[in-house]
Amino acid sequence: MATVTQRLRGRPAHPPGPTSLTYTPNGRKLITAGSNNAIRVYTTGSDGEPTNIDGCQENNTAVAASNDIFVTGSEDGTVWMYSLETNSMDKMLTRSTLPIRDIALSPDGNWAAVASDELTVKVVNIRNPEKVLHLREQPKPVKHLSFHHSGSYLAVSCTDGIVYIYNLSTEQPELIRKVDGLIRTLETDAEASSKAIWHPDGRAFAAPTPTKEIQVVSRSDGERQRAFAGGHMGDITALAWSPNGALLVSAATDRKILLWETKTQKVIARNRIEVDRYDYPNVINITWHPTENMASFTTSDGELYIYTDFVPTEFASLLEKSLQAAPFIHDPLAETTGNARKPLDNGHKFNGESRGRRRGTPDSLDEILGSDEMGGEDDDFVSDDDGAGYANGLNGFGKRGSGHLDEIDGIGVKRRAAYDDWEPQIHHSFQPGSTSWRGNRKYLCEKVYS
């Protein structure tokens, strides 16, 4: 008889209402914030009671953490920083006239991006809160924020249904791309998610679509790649990549948490023997532990679930793999092209060993007449009067040398290096019918020599 796993029970972390959570990057602490004025700090691996930080702002809507500090935002428009060393409030970073909706910390922990019901996104320096960058290109309030793993890009999910990608590596923030038609138009307080989450390899991000799918989009050109489809029947409320990018977890209003394999975009944790293994209603936030087979999620009922051995045993090896690639339709890292110039052997094996002279067959002309009759050293009766090279002696392989020939492609050795490094110049379409650069392909290409 099959063994039925006992259903995971939630921990009452906060009163009913929006409840957010985050792990510290080292995975030692798990922090939750909710509708009351207390923040809870859980220690990974401990079954004891969490540390409570009382006297905080009420109606917290977002939390983000580094190893030393964490930042919360609330409906009163304030953003506060707390110390994990003393478990106490440190200082106020910024404030807004309208409720805070999301906070994201840069990977180095030096900047906090803050979204509110105002139109401008603020990127505040943690050490010097007076140093603020303003992102103003979006015409409506922003619901979600997500930092690229390099810290150079910020994905902004706006309530107008457009994902805005900003470059933060320049002196002034620069809008580099708008991805339209990808996410739904949602209100900032809606439980459904429109968050764009960066894949750990940094080349793409994924976001929920209006058709209840999860679409992967290339960072370099904004083109749609693979999609995770056919899993959910309700609106997606939360999603997260595993630390190595091999798995994707998602939750929706259909009471299901689904575990997907990135490489195949298939659900791998459905129809299991364990009854209701992933059947949890009202999940609104979910996150992976940075190093262990563990995931935690919160619900709109204020409950926290800490799920050890989250990935089933038969798939747990996927978490142990190195960094996996984002699911592209035409992956530039996996493709090989037939146009690449192959290296010449010149009679040598790839391991550097010299290839010996080919031996003749017993009835070959060389064996019958002898090597002296077929081009020995004294065979100088031919006069090379036109420089064609047929009077040259045979080389060590019994073949006539190639010293008399022109260089390959008519390009000298000294100049060949300059030609090997050429790259196509990408330019926009200039006439009807010309094609643009899409999905690592372009049919109109110009080769320029310098």
Side-chain angles (χ1 to χ4, degrees):
M1 182 177 178
T3 302
V4 178
T5 302
Q6 185 177 3
R7 180 178 174 83
L8 183 68
R9 301 187 66 176
R11 308 185 187 192
H14 302 277
T19 307
S20 52
L21 81 167
T22 184
Y23 276 105
T24 57
N26 57 21
R28 297 177 182 174
K29 302 289 184 179
L30 174 66
I31 303 144
T32 65
S35 58
N36 60 345
N37 63 347
I39 295 173
R40 295 182 180 266
V41 181
Y42 297 81
T43 300
T44 301
S46 174
D47 292 330
E49 288 294 317
T51 299
N52 291 332
I53 303 177
D54 299 317
C56 307
Q57 305 304 113
E58 293 186 350
N59 298 318
N60 292 293
T61 55
V63 61
S66 66
N67 290 330
D68 302 318
I69 60 99
F70 66 91
V71 180
T72 64
S74 66
E75 289 189 355
D76 67 0
T78 58
V79 177
W80 290 88
M81 186 174 77
Y82 296 80
S83 170
L84 281 171
E85 182 179 357
T86 61
N87 290 320
S88 62
M89 184 181 293
D90 188 350
K91 59 185 176 183
M92 187 173 68
L93 292 180
T94 187
R95 70 181 307 149
S96 169
T97 58
L98 297 173
I100 303 298
R101 295 305 178 186
D102 199 11
I103 297 174
L105 279 181
S106 62
D108 60 8
N110 292 330
W111 296 87
V114 180
S116 69
D117 283 350
E118 293 182 351
L119 302 184
T120 301
V121 172
K122 298 178 182 179
V123 184
V124 185
N125 188 275
I126 295 294
R127 293 180 175 83
N128 181 14
E130 294 183 359
K131 186 176 181 181
V132 182
L133 305 176
H134 296 273
L135 312 182
R136 309 177 186 273
E137 298 297 329
Q138 57 281 348
K140 289 188 176 182
V142 168
K143 181 173 174 60
H144 300 291
L145 300 169
S146 179
F147 261 107
H148 187 268
H149 301 284
S150 67
S152 298
Y153 304 98
L154 184 70
V156 175
S157 298
C158 187
T159 54
D160 64 355
I162 299 176
V163 177
Y164 296 79
I165 307 298
Y166 286 90
N167 182 3
L168 302 182
S169 62
T170 56
E171 184 175 353
Q172 292 297 325
E174 177 187 6
L175 177 66
I176 59 174
R177 181 160 291 108
K178 294 195 297 184
V179 183
D180 197 358
L182 175 65
I183 59 175
R184 292 177 56 188
T185 55
L186 295 171
E187 296 299 324
T188 53
D189 58 353
E191 286 191 1
S193 175
S194 60
K195 187 169 186 175
I197 57 170
W198 294 99
H199 187 273
D201 78 350
R203 299 182 302 143
F205 62 86
T209 69
T211 56
K212 303 174 179 60
E213 299 178 354
I214 301 171
Q215 178 67 56
V216 178
V217 178
S218 170
R219 175 181 62 83
S220 62
D221 56 13
E223 289 298 310
R224 287 169 170 76
Q225 302 298 325
R226 301 290 183 183
F228 298 80
H232 287 294
M233 300 299 293
D235 293 333
I236 296 173
T237 56
L239 67 165
W241 297 105
S242 64
N244 66 347
L247 298 169
L248 175 71
V249 63
S250 60
T253 56
D254 56 7
R255 299 172 58 95
K256 296 295 183 182
I257 296 177
L258 299 182
L259 191 61
W260 309 75
E261 183 181 7
T262 300
K263 184 177 181 180
T264 61
Q265 302 93 54
K266 301 296 183 183
V267 176
I268 63 174
R270 176 187 285 170
N271 300 329
R272 292 185 50 78
I273 296 175
E274 294 89 341
V275 177
D276 294 336
R277 178 181 175 93
Y278 295 115
D279 182 3
Y280 295 94
N282 306 323
V283 176
I284 54 176
N285 283 292
I286 191 166
T287 185
W288 291 84
H289 188 277
T291 58
E292 299 181 15
N293 182 5
M294 182 186 301
S296 297
F297 51 92
T298 55
T299 69
S300 57
D301 299 322
E303 292 183 313
L304 167 68
Y305 293 82
I306 301 177
Y307 207 139
T308 57
D309 297 325
F310 180 71
V311 179
T313 304
E314 59 266 38
F315 302 111
S317 60
L318 293 173
L319 283 178
E320 300 172 0
K321 292 185 176 182
S322 59
L323 181 64
Q324 300 297 293
F328 277 65
I329 296 176
H330 299 292
D331 193 341
L333 297 182
E335 288 184 342
T336 57
T337 174
N339 296 326
R341 177 173 296 169
K342 299 179 180 180
L344 300 178
D345 289 347
N346 289 330
H348 295 277
K349 296 182 180 179
F350 290 107
N351 59 7
E353 298 179 2
S354 178
R355 183 173 60 191
R357 178 172 180 173
R358 186 171 61 186
R359 301 175 62 183
T361 59
D363 57 349
S364 67
L365 195 57
D366 271 348
E367 297 294 330
I368 296 173
L369 299 180
S371 60
D372 289 342
E373 298 295 333
M374 295 301 295
E377 294 181 357
D378 296 333
D379 188 12
D380 57 356
F381 68 93
V382 178
S383 175
D384 188 3
D385 56 355
D386 59 359
Y390 44 74
N392 296 338
L394 302 181
N395 59 22
F397 303 106
K399 303 295 182 180
R400 189 170 55 178
S402 60
H404 64 287
L405 300 177
D406 294 334
E407 292 290 342
I408 299 175
D409 297 340
I411 303 173
V413 174
K414 294 181 178 179
R415 297 184 59 195
R416 189 179 303 156
Y419 288 84
D420 288 341
D421 295 333
W422 79 274
E423 294 183 356
Q425 292 185 350
I426 302 171
H427 49 79
H428 297 289
S429 304
F430 63 91
Q431 65 183 22
S434 59
T435 58
S436 58
W437 190 272
R438 291 177 177 272
N440 200 34
R441 292 291 186 272
K442 186 176 181 65
Y443 299 102
L444 181 61
C445 182
E446 180 182 7
K447 185 173 181 180
V448 180
Y449 294 101
S450 57

